[in-house]
Amino acid sequence: MAAKVTVLSLLVEELNSGRVKVVDLTQPLDKDTPVIDLPPMFAPSPGFSMQTISKYDDKGPAWYWNTIHLGEHTGTHFDAPIHWITARTTRTTHWIPFSTQTGRPACVIDVSKKSLSTRTSC
């Protein structure tokens, strides 16, 4: 019996053949994650902090989880333009169809070596 062709099976086939490449642009969040640096007249954005709720202990014997706290301008975020006055009447990203954000040509600019030697404020 022939296997049913699904979008997922086609994606797996394309990934396995190398015709589709996925580039993970995520970055870990930690105390060193960049935060927007605004002039002193504006409220500062808090950086990333994390408090353990439970870690396989009395508060949660079978799980590890945390509370995180950060300003929404910590690191990068997809809907950054909506945060400025020029976009106050624009819909936020939850209105953008996911299909318009995938399958598009991309250019990867690797600055990892340069970023190791240079640290700039955001």
Side-chain angles (χ1 to χ4, degrees), residues 89-103:
T89 59
T90 303
R91 292 180 167 182
T92 58
T93 56
H94 70 277
W95 292 95
I96 300 172
F98 182 72
S99 61
T100 66
Q101 304 307 307
T102 58

Side-chain angles (χ1 to χ4, degrees), residues 13-93:
E13 181 182 321
E14 295 295 300
L15 289 167
N16 286 336
S17 72
R19 290 186 296 266
V20 169
K21 182 177 179 183
V22 175
V23 179
D24 181 1
L25 298 176
T26 61
Q27 294 291 315
L29 287 173
D30 62 29
K31 64 180 181 55
D32 296 322
T33 300
V35 177
I36 192 168
D37 188 14
L38 296 173
M41 62 192 208
F42 299 109
S45 181
F48 176 84
S49 65
M50 182 172 71
Q51 298 78 37
T52 300
I53 297 171
S54 68
K55 191 170 184 179
Y56 319 113
D57 53 21
D58 295 348
K59 297 174 186 172
W63 52 87
Y64 170 43
W65 65 314
N66 304 287
T67 298
I68 61 172
H69 182 250
L70 63 145
E72 64 184 331
H73 291 284
T74 301
T76 60
H77 50 290
F78 183 64
D79 66 339
I82 198 67
H83 298 292
W84 303 105
I85 191 81
T86 53
R88 70 176 174 214
T89 59
T90 303
R91 292 180 167 182
T92 58
T93 56

